[in-house]
Amino acid sequence: MPHPNDPKLRSFISVDPASDFPIQNLPYGVFSSKDGLAPRVGVAIGDYVLDLWQLAQDCRIDVVEPGVFAAPTLNPFMALGPKVWSNTRARIGELLRHDYPELRDNEKLRRRALVPMADAKLHLPITVAGYTDFYSSKEHATNVGVMFRGKDNALQPNWLHMPIGYNGRASTVVVSGTQVRRPRGQLKPPNVELPSFGACKRLDFELEMGVVVGQPSRMGEMLSEKQAEEMIFGFVLLNDWSARDIQQWEYVPLGPFQAKAFATSISPWIVTREALEPFRVHGPEQNPTPLSYLKQAQPNNYDMQLDVGLRAAQMNEAMRICRTNFKYMYWSSVQQLVHHASSGCAMNIGDLLGSGTISGPEKHQRGSLLEISWNGTEPLELPEGRKRTFLEDGDSLVMRGWCQGDGYRVGFGEVEGSILPAS
Amino acid sequence: MPHPNDPKLRSFISVDPASDFPIQNLPYGVFSSKDGLAPRVGVAIGDYVLDLWQLAQDCRIDVVEPGVFAAPTLNPFMALGPKVWSNTRARIGELLRHDYPELRDNEKLRRRALVPMADAKLHLPITVAGYTDFYSSKEHATNVGVMFRGKDNALQPNWLHMPIGYNGRASTVVVSGTQVRRPRGQLKPPNVELPSFGACKRLDFELEMGVVVGQPSRMGEMLSEKQAEEMIFGFVLLNDWSARDIQQWEYVPLGPFQAKAFATSISPWIVTREALEPFRVHGPEQNPTPLSYLKQAQPNNYDMQLDVGLRAAQMNEAMRICRTNFKYMYWSSVQQLVHHASSGCAMNIGDLLGSGTISGPEKHQRGSLLEISWNGTEPLELPEGRKRTFLEDGDSLVMRGWCQGDGYRVGFGEVEGSILPAS
């Protein structure tokens, strides 16, 4: 049987070469459709969602109990562990092959199990146990540092020694398409003496990837590189919405709180770590050499193209405002997870780790409006004379990401969110 | 029927006036006993645990479906809301009254439903949805500020305007009695050029109270004082274990992360907000007047005595090292909750909000070793010539708290934890 990542594999379902969802991908999500059944687990293939619960009911996937696919979240399936993840993906790939008759020639089952993507409503794919946000792009940290502290002190002294991160708020992680209400909060611009309470005026996005942790670790135990890697179920696109003005006033000394608590958006499809395997690359050289608990024996970055589009309410289509790559990240997801557990912090199934804003070395690779507009001093020019320093009500933000193979791509779809006015 | 807080109420179970658990208290917890049944919900009364599941099975509590008391966590019961919380407490109080025969005279039911505390194992009483830690004692914030920034810049500019807080790690909240392994982490003392990885040398406790949120709020919505108050199910004692050396190196600019992620201990008994009602007091005057969303129309502090004991492995009993009061907190729990939701952050059933270290104006009222030993410069003297700047392996830390009524007290029992050596 060919490996499910084999570039030569073809599905009996025709998949456009520009589709994010060829047979080499098979990302997991939670969906519901017009049939009125409850949200359940599916896999994206071309323009369809493959209903795993229907397949399991029909005894076509026997590697797990069918119940895990009837759940409205992937957590029960993730709990079964990496061997089951891998076996299930291989079996799904087999069932979808152009030269494998079992599903291809069973019209009744195909009709039940293949739901047109256009008829599917996609839900938050996991129950988020904990949400942690890192800060691991050197270019992003440097840009922010130069803006606020000048060129000579841009990076904080600890930054090159560990993946800096903080705990975010899991309760407001939402799926792509959820509208985001402009937050209110305490604002105190530097030129004003006293704070006031009002609608955020400097609302921003942050282009990130999110790691979905699929296996737990025990309190009091550290993780090796290998252990950490095996705990990673997959990745999502992540928009870490940020209220820059709230953040500036609140964050000393305990870090961002309400500035990041109002919403975090993720893509509905979780691309598995296994599907990304062919796109592994080394990250940037790490100098100074990390302490031994953070050393990497293998390349843990991914060559993943990312872009961001902004569409103001009056525009017909989004304008690309950032084009970058996940491979630029200084600290890898594996290093983040190792560091996260290094104090003995227990990790849970469903933990979500944001990578931190993904900027690159070039100007068009900046992953936030804070950087793109250089703290509001260089407004972004949109069509018809419109300008943006930060997000306005009605703006829609779309992030996309994919790894380019030879004749196919392994992609994430999109994570989209638009801004509602403050209530 | 007398109100369940009536100081004149007496139970048919004899309760020592110094007990934390008279009929005026009735705190909720999760316990198991020698009978081999799964962990379930109980209430403390004197030296007994009253098994609510047994009472519900026997149709003695009809305000809720019995299933909620069979759960290994209070979350399902909390989900039923403040009216049910209040009615259930009133009914339990009635069943325990000295002049009410229903349970008192039913020997068979009494034998089933009353478990000697000595035979009960107490479990973590809630599934912690999110853990947030505040920093709301002015005395604590000032002490820390004076130590690290000097007297003139002790309080950060934002501190008097909002309850400063950060998201903590829910996965390592543990119940009293759980041993805590000394964390490892990156350490870089100021006089050393490069960080190293090793066992924390400055391990500390923080005396806090924890608010247990029992009702949710919706994403995008703010809370009034009244709404926030009604969402509070009760309070626990909380020890926010802290690795001061890890914290010092990691916390700029995103706040504490691994320094606080290895363990947070709470008491097994949740004292309900209703039981604390007679002990409400005004907090310290707030100057400047808080912004209107944080204004309080009622006293939201509590006159609650707190003390901390430290027992080194060689000592027979703990020595009291702190005696303070929850009433000193500058920002109340209600203000913390209002602020927490102010950006539109959704609150969940089972959210736990740490108050921040509770110090008072006097030297003996300092709620952490950092303050007691003044950053290690004034070692604490223990019996037989022992000294402490920070915690050593084998040390046991015990916190107690209670509100003193006329002839009875409404208390929390204790939260205890002892230190295991780093692995």
Side-chain angles (χ1 to χ4, degrees):
Chain A
M1 194 168 95
H3 189 278
N5 286 353
D6 189 336
K8 291 192 214 77
L9 277 186
R10 281 191 297 125
S11 173
F12 65 82
I13 292 172
S14 103
V15 178
D16 190 280
S19 168
D20 282 336
F21 309 126
I23 193 169
Q24 289 80 7
N25 189 351
L26 306 180
Y28 289 94
V30 168
F31 78 103
S32 55
S33 64
K34 294 173 177 169
D35 56 20
L37 293 176
R40 55 203 184 275
V41 174
V43 152
I45 177 75
D47 294 329
Y48 291 86
V49 180
L50 181 65
D51 184 332
L52 297 194
W53 179 72
Q54 292 283 5
L55 291 184
Q57 285 279 92
D58 212 52
C59 304
R60 306 295 171 169
I61 307 182
D62 51 12
V63 282
V64 289
E65 62 265 34
V68 299
F69 296 130
T73 160
L74 277 151
N75 296 47
F77 176 64
M78 294 195 294
L80 300 173
K83 272 194 191 148
V84 173
W85 307 342
S86 193
N87 291 342
T88 304
R89 181 163 176 271
R91 173 63 177 150
I92 295 166
E94 184 177 61
L95 286 169
L96 288 170
R97 271 167 49 190
H98 77 288
D99 54 357
Y100 197 82
E102 186 173 344
L103 178 60
R104 183 193 67 190
D105 298 346
N106 184 337
E107 200 198 324
K108 204 173 144 194
L109 181 57
R110 252 179 23 231
R111 267 211 311 269
R112 277 215 317 278
L114 284 163
V115 177
M117 194 77 85
D119 294 345
K121 180 173 154 55
L122 300 172
H123 301 264
L124 190 69
I126 56 170
T127 302
V128 182
Y131 167 48
T132 306
D133 193 30
F134 285 91
Y135 185 56
S136 290
S137 153
K138 190 172 173 185
E139 289 80 8
H140 170 70
T142 304
N143 285 339
V144 173
V146 169
M147 262 179 252
F148 294 109
R149 285 183 302 276
K151 216 167 173 178
D152 294 336
N153 301 299
L155 280 188
Q156 299 284 359
N158 53 19
W159 200 94
L160 289 169
H161 296 281
M162 69 174 108
I164 295 292
Y166 66 100
N167 299 297
R169 180 75 190 169
S171 69
T172 45
V173 176
V174 295
V175 73
S176 177
T178 307
Q179 292 186 300
V180 170
R181 189 163 295 285
R182 179 181 296 274
R184 293 191 287 179
Q186 284 202 23
L187 313 173
K188 199 197 84 63
N191 56 340
V192 168
E193 203 195 344
L194 288 173
S196 59
F197 188 84
C200 161
K201 293 183 177 67
R202 292 159 66 88
L203 183 57
D204 203 354
F205 71 91
E206 291 191 344
L207 168 65
E208 303 194 13
M209 294 302 300
V211 164
V212 177
V213 175
Q215 286 283 284
S217 72
R218 279 192 292 183
M219 184 171 161
E221 289 191 351
M222 290 185 64
L223 299 174
S224 68
E225 178 188 12
K226 186 164 184 292
Q227 286 171 320
E229 190 201 353
E230 288 179 353
M231 286 165 62
I232 295 175
F233 177 71
F235 292 79
V236 289
L237 293 165
L238 187 149
N239 183 349
D240 177 33
W241 302 97
S242 300
R244 301 294 177 197
D245 39 9
I246 298 174
Q247 185 174 355
Q248 197 197 348
W249 171 233
E250 77 174 0
Y251 89 103
V252 176
L254 300 183
F257 183 45
Q258 292 304 289
K260 304 273 196 168
F262 57 98
T264 304
S265 300
I266 65 172
S267 61
W269 296 110
I270 306 175
V271 175
T272 62
R273 175 170 49 83
E274 193 178 79
L276 296 175
E277 199 60 41
F279 308 100
R280 268 181 191 271
V281 290
H282 282 284
E285 195 196 351
Q286 295 185 314
N287 185 6
T289 307
L291 287 166
S292 61
Y293 79 106
L294 288 172
K295 273 189 190 153
Q296 304 185 102
Q298 58 179 26
N300 286 319
N301 281 37
Y302 297 95
D303 182 0
M304 184 190 296
Q305 302 183 46
L306 297 166
D307 75 36
V308 181
L310 173 63
R311 190 173 61 76
Q314 306 83 351
M315 287 162 63
N316 289 324
E317 55 182 40
M319 184 181 107
R320 183 189 291 160
I321 62 172
C322 166
R323 177 89 192 242
T324 186
N325 196 303
F326 191 39
K327 72 183 178 190
Y328 296 124
M329 297 306 282
Y330 189 86
W331 296 104
S332 73
S333 307
V334 170
Q335 287 177 313
Q336 290 172 342
L337 187 47
V338 166
H339 181 68
H340 204 320
S342 65
S343 68
C345 177
M347 303 306 298
N348 279 333
I349 297 168
D351 280 342
L352 178 67
L353 314 188
S355 60
T357 307
I358 305 164
S359 294
E362 305 295 326
K363 207 166 168 179
H364 68 273
Q365 295 175 323
R366 295 173 175 170
S368 66
L369 279 171
L370 178 70
E371 294 163 271
I372 293 171
S373 77
W374 207 253
N375 198 22
T377 62
E378 300 173 14
L380 175 73
E381 309 217 346
L382 299 181
E384 299 179 31
R386 289 187 194 96
K387 297 188 176 191
R388 283 292 177 279
T389 48
F390 292 95
L391 295 168
E392 297 191 5
D393 294 343
D395 283 358
S396 164
L397 210 287
V398 187
M399 299 172 175
R400 294 176 186 279
W402 65 94
C403 298
Q404 187 63 54
D406 187 7
Y408 69 99
R409 63 193 219 180
V410 172
F412 288 81
E414 64 176 39
V415 56
E416 188 272 347
S418 61
I419 307 300
L420 294 173
S423 56
Chain B
M1 192 167 94
H3 189 277
N5 287 352
D6 188 336
K8 292 191 213 80
L9 277 187
R10 281 191 296 124
S11 172
F12 65 82
I13 292 171
S14 105
V15 178
D16 191 279
S19 167
D20 281 338
F21 308 127
I23 193 169
Q24 288 81 7
N25 189 351
L26 307 179
Y28 289 94
V30 168
F31 77 103
S32 56
S33 64
K34 294 173 177 169
D35 56 21
L37 294 176
R40 57 203 183 274
V41 174
V43 152
I45 177 76
D47 295 329
Y48 290 86
V49 179
L50 181 66
D51 184 333
L52 297 194
W53 180 71
Q54 292 284 3
L55 290 184
Q57 285 279 93
D58 213 53
C59 304
R60 305 295 170 169
I61 307 182
D62 49 15
V63 280
V64 289
E65 62 264 36
V68 298
F69 296 130
T73 160
L74 277 152
N75 296 45
F77 176 64
M78 293 195 294
L80 301 174
K83 272 194 191 147
V84 173
W85 308 342
S86 193
N87 291 343
T88 304
R89 181 163 176 270
R91 173 63 177 152
I92 294 166
E94 183 177 62
L95 285 169
L96 288 169
R97 270 166 52 187
H98 78 288
D99 54 357
Y100 197 81
E102 186 173 343
L103 178 60
R104 183 192 69 192
D105 298 346
N106 184 337
E107 200 198 325
K108 204 172 143 194
L109 180 58
R110 253 179 25 231
R111 267 210 313 267
R112 278 215 318 278
L114 283 162
V115 177
M117 193 78 83
D119 295 344
K121 179 172 156 53
L122 300 172
H123 301 266
L124 190 68
I126 57 171
T127 302
V128 182
Y131 167 49
T132 306
D133 193 29
F134 284 91
Y135 184 57
S136 291
S137 152
K138 189 173 173 184
E139 289 80 7
H140 170 69
T142 303
N143 284 338
V144 173
V146 169
M147 263 179 251
F148 293 109
R149 284 182 304 275
K151 215 168 173 176
D152 293 337
N153 301 299
L155 280 187
Q156 299 284 0
N158 52 19
W159 200 95
L160 290 169
H161 296 281
M162 69 174 108
I164 295 293
Y166 66 99
N167 299 297
R169 181 73 190 171
S171 69
T172 44
V173 175
V174 295
V175 73
S176 177
T178 307
Q179 291 186 301
V180 171
R181 189 163 296 285
R182 178 181 296 274
R184 293 192 287 180
Q186 284 202 23
L187 312 173
K188 200 198 83 62
N191 55 341
V192 168
E193 202 195 343
L194 288 173
S196 59
F197 188 84
C200 161
K201 293 184 177 70
R202 293 160 65 89
L203 183 57
D204 203 355
F205 71 90
E206 290 190 344
L207 167 65
E208 303 194 13
M209 295 302 300
V211 164
V212 177
V213 175
Q215 286 284 284
S217 73
R218 280 192 293 183
M219 183 171 162
E221 291 191 350
M222 292 185 64
L223 299 174
S224 68
E225 177 187 13
K226 185 162 182 293
Q227 286 171 320
E229 191 202 354
E230 287 178 355
M231 287 165 61
I232 296 176
F233 178 70
F235 292 79
V236 290
L237 293 165
L238 187 150
N239 183 349
D240 177 32
W241 303 98
S242 300
R244 300 294 178 198
D245 38 9
I246 298 175
Q247 185 174 356
Q248 198 197 347
W249 172 233
E250 78 173 0
Y251 89 103
V252 174
L254 301 184
F257 183 44
Q258 292 304 289
K260 304 273 196 168
F262 58 98
T264 304
S265 301
I266 65 171
S267 60
W269 295 112
I270 306 174
V271 175
T272 61
R273 175 169 49 84
E274 192 178 80
L276 296 175
E277 200 58 42
F279 308 100
R280 269 181 190 270
V281 290
H282 281 284
E285 196 196 349
Q286 295 186 312
N287 184 7
T289 306
L291 287 165
S292 61
Y293 79 106
L294 288 172
K295 274 189 190 152
Q296 304 185 104
Q298 57 179 28
N300 286 320
N301 280 39
Y302 296 97
D303 182 0
M304 184 189 297
Q305 301 182 45
L306 297 165
D307 75 36
V308 181
L310 172 63
R311 189 173 62 74
Q314 306 84 351
M315 287 163 61
N316 289 323
E317 55 182 40
M319 184 181 107
R320 181 189 292 160
I321 62 171
C322 166
R323 176 90 192 241
T324 186
N325 196 302
F326 191 38
K327 72 183 177 189
Y328 296 123
M329 298 305 282
Y330 188 86
W331 296 104
S332 73
S333 307
V334 169
Q335 287 176 313
Q336 290 173 341
L337 187 46
V338 165
H339 181 67
H340 204 319
S342 65
S343 68
C345 176
M347 303 305 300
N348 278 333
I349 296 169
D351 280 342
L352 178 67
L353 314 187
S355 59
T357 308
I358 305 164
S359 294
E362 306 293 327
K363 209 167 167 178
H364 69 271
Q365 294 175 324
R366 294 173 176 171
S368 67
L369 278 171
L370 178 70
E371 293 164 271
I372 293 171
S373 78
W374 207 251
N375 198 22
T377 60
E378 301 172 14
L380 175 72
E381 310 218 342
L382 298 180
E384 299 179 32
R386 289 188 195 95
K387 296 187 177 191
R388 282 293 179 279
T389 47
F390 292 96
L391 294 169
E392 298 191 4
D393 294 343
D395 283 359
S396 164
L397 211 287
V398 187
M399 299 173 176
R400 295 175 185 279
W402 66 94
C403 298
Q404 187 63 53
D406 187 7
Y408 69 100
R409 64 194 220 180
V410 171
F412 287 80
E414 65 177 38
V415 56
E416 188 273 346
S418 60
I419 308 300
L420 293 173
S423 57

